[in-house]
Amino acid sequence: MTDSQTKSSFGTALLNLHSGYTDSLPGREKHIDCLKSFLKKHIKDHHSVSMYISGPPGTGKTVSLHSLFASDLVTDNFTLVYVNCSMIKSANRVYAKIAEMLKIGSGTQRECISNIEQYLKTKHKSILMVLDEIDQLSSKNQSILYQIFEWPIIPQSNIVVIGIANSLDLTDRLLPMLKTKVSLQPELLNFPPYTKTELANIISHRLKNAGVAEIFPANAIQLLSAKIASIRGDIRYALDVTRRVIELADDKIDKKIELNDVIAVLNNVYSTSGALDNDDENSEKLPLQQEFVVCALLLLLSSGKKSQVITIGKVFNVFTTICKKRNVQVRDLSEFITMCSLLETRGVIKILGQNINRLSKVLLLWDKNEVDDVLHDKQLLVDVLNDKSLLIQ
C-alpha cells in the first residue's frame, strides 16, 4: 500500500470511528428487540406505558433508541419528542421544551404543564417521549419526575414515556411512590458495560464496513478492547482511543499501527503509571479535553468570589464553550462526568456527593503550577484565563 493509499485509509477509518449514531450496533441486538417489542405492544394494546433505561456511560442506551427513531415503527405510529435534559438550563424548562416539540405553544411553567395535559386528554397520534439524562430533572421532592411518569395514567393519554440515565436504581431511590400503583411502575431495561469481545467486534465491524480492516492489527484491537473493558466497558472511549492510535500512526514515517502505539495512547488517556509499560515522555500529560475541563474550572475560580459554589453544570457550560470556540467535538454531560471522574481518580479534582450530576460540587485540588505541568499546550491555560467571554452563557 502506498503512502497516499495509507493516508486515505486512515482518513476513512477516522470518519467511521466517531461515536455518532450508526445503523449497526453489535452486542445490543437483544436490547433493540426489547425496545421494539415494547413499542409494538403499545401500538397493539393502545395502552400508555413507561420505561426506565439504565446503564453506565457509553453502553449504547441512547444510540440504541436513536436507531429506531427513523424506522417505520416510530415514524408511522408516533409523534417523537426527544429531550436531552442535560442541555436545558434548568429542570423546570423541560415543560417548555416538551410543549415546543408538541407544537402546543409556550408560556409560563404552569401554562406549559396545563397545555401538555390538555393535549394528552384530546385525540392525538401516539407520543413517544424520550427524556435522556433524566436524572438531571431531579428536584427536592421529585415533583417533575413524578409528574412526567404519571402522564401515562391520564385517560386516553396515548403516550410512551422513556427515561434514560446511568443509575441502575434511580426509580427505586428517587421515585419510590411509583411502586404504589402497578399502572405507574415503569418497565426496566439495563444496558451492562460492553465486554472486551463486544468492544473488539464493534471496532472491527466499523473498520470492515469502511473497507479498511487491514490497517489495524487484530492483536492491537484485542489489547485495546481488553484494557477498556477492564476499566469501564465504554464504547465511546474505545472508539476515541482507536482514533487516537490511528492519528499517532499517521505521524510515523512507516505509517504502521503497532502494539506500542496502543499502549502509548492508553497510558495517555488513563494516566495510570502502572497500567501498561511505556516510556513515552508525554504519558503524564492530560488528554486535550481533560485539559479543557481543568481550564474551565480554573477560569471559574479566578473570576468569582472565594465563597462561590462551583458545580459540574457550571464547569460543563464553560467547557462546552471552550470546545466550540476551538472547533473541538463537544461531549455530552455523561461523557463530561466520565472525564471528571478520571480527573478525580488522578487527584486533580474532588467531586462531592455519592451521585454525580449537574448539581454536584467540584473542588480543584491542584494549584495552577501543578496544572501547568501536565498541559501539552502551556499557552492554552493563559488564553482561557484571559478570555472572560467564555463565562457568558
Side-chain angles (χ1 to χ4, degrees), residues 244-255:
R244 294 189 193 193
V245 170
I246 292 172
E247 289 167 353
L248 181 63
D250 194 26
D251 289 336
K252 294 162 56 178
I253 295 175
D254 61 8
K255 306 288 184 186

Side-chain angles (χ1 to χ4, degrees), residues 165-183:
N166 298 336
S167 302
L168 181 64
D169 63 344
L170 180 139
T171 51
D172 290 339
R173 181 166 42 82
L174 299 183
L175 305 171
M177 294 300 291
L178 292 181
K179 289 184 176 181
T180 60
K181 294 182 181 180
V182 174
S183 58

Side-chain angles (χ1 to χ4, degrees), residues 137-149:
L137 301 182
S138 178
S139 56
K140 190 172 183 180
N141 57 6
Q142 309 305 342
S143 59
I144 299 173
L145 287 172
Y146 272 122
Q147 185 159 43
I148 290 172
F149 275 101

Side-chain angles (χ1 to χ4, degrees), residues 19-146:
S19 56
Y21 307 128
T22 174
D23 293 334
S24 181
L25 291 163
R28 289 296 178 253
E29 294 86 356
K30 290 182 180 179
H31 293 77
I32 292 173
D33 285 343
C34 181
L35 290 168
K36 287 179 179 177
S37 298
F38 179 73
L39 295 177
K40 287 177 180 177
K41 191 173 189 306
H42 163 78
I43 295 168
K44 179 182 177 182
D45 299 342
H46 301 287
H47 182 62
S48 295
V49 286
S50 63
M51 172 182 278
Y52 173 62
I53 298 176
S54 63
T59 52
K61 304 183 296 295
T62 300
V63 73
S64 293
L65 262 173
H66 271 274
S67 71
L68 299 179
F69 287 171
S71 68
D72 291 342
L73 175 64
V74 172
T75 57
D76 291 350
N77 298 288
F78 293 95
T79 296
L80 176 64
V81 175
Y82 173 81
V83 180
N84 186 328
C85 301
S86 69
M87 303 305 289
I88 54 180
K89 292 286 185 180
S90 65
N92 291 332
R93 290 288 302 162
V94 70
Y95 298 115
K97 187 66 177 176
I98 292 170
E100 176 191 329
M101 299 195 74
L102 287 174
K103 298 181 174 61
I104 54 176
S106 58
T108 65
Q109 178 183 333
R110 183 174 294 181
E111 288 169 342
C112 287
I113 293 172
S114 176
N115 290 342
I116 293 167
E117 295 187 346
Q118 284 300 315
Y119 181 82
L120 293 177
K121 293 173 184 177
T122 61
K123 189 174 182 180
H124 57 271
K125 187 177 182 180
S126 288
I127 299 169
L128 173 57
M129 185 176 296
V130 179
L131 301 172
D132 208 347
E133 309 286 356
I134 198 172
D135 50 330
Q136 301 303 311
L137 301 182
S138 178
S139 56
K140 190 172 183 180
N141 57 6
Q142 309 305 342
S143 59
I144 299 173
L145 287 172
Y146 272 122

